Amino acid sequence: MNRGLVEFADDSYDVSVCCGVFTLGHVPPTGVRGLLRVTRPGGLVLLSTYSKYLAGSDFVAYVRRQADDGALKVVERRRDVPYTAEGPAHYWAFEVLR
């Protein structure tokens, strides 16, 4: 399993925020696991995904698998919201379930 964020202990935070990371050439969808690991159960993970990143990755399918496996619940997803002059992003809120 991708541990990610290894310098942080499990369940360290009530809320984790990640912006500008899940974009082309940066972090793969598996990076979500690190955010879930360092966020306590019942906590929130808030992140953005550049719309072009979603088109070129399996991020949505990965999130769906994590939800199906009981690791997270998608609390909210805002689609194609202004991000940069280069294009929009999607904004996500996950509740950590595990």
Side-chain angles (χ1 to χ4, degrees), residues 2 18-32 48-50 53 56-57 59 83 86:
N2 177 354
C18 184
C19 186
V21 175
F22 291 96
T23 188
L24 299 171
H26 288 253
V27 176
T30 55
V32 169
S48 64
T49 52
Y50 189 40
Y53 174 82
S57 74
F59 187 89
Y83 183 60
E86 296 176 14

Side-chain angles (χ1 to χ4, degrees), residues 1-95:
M1 174 168 97
N2 177 354
R3 294 243 335 132
L5 302 170
V6 295
E7 61 275 16
F8 299 98
D10 294 358
D11 306 331
S12 293
Y13 300 100
D14 294 329
V15 177
S16 296
V17 179
C18 184
C19 186
V21 175
F22 291 96
T23 188
L24 299 171
H26 288 253
V27 176
T30 55
V32 169
R33 286 299 306 163
L35 293 167
L36 296 175
R37 185 184 62 75
V38 301
T39 308
R40 70 169 177 76
L44 293 175
V45 172
L46 309 173
L47 60 87
S48 64
T49 52
Y50 189 40
S51 292
K52 288 182 182 178
Y53 174 82
L54 291 180
S57 74
D58 69 342
F59 187 89
V60 174
Y62 184 81
V63 166
R64 189 173 296 122
R65 285 192 304 274
Q66 296 303 305
D68 290 346
D69 290 346
L72 65 82
K73 174 184 174 186
V74 177
V75 176
E76 188 164 350
R77 176 182 176 190
R78 302 242 172 143
R79 293 173 169 90
D80 294 319
V81 177
Y83 183 60
T84 68
E86 296 176 14
H90 291 215
Y91 294 88
W92 304 77
F94 305 141
E95 179 183 357

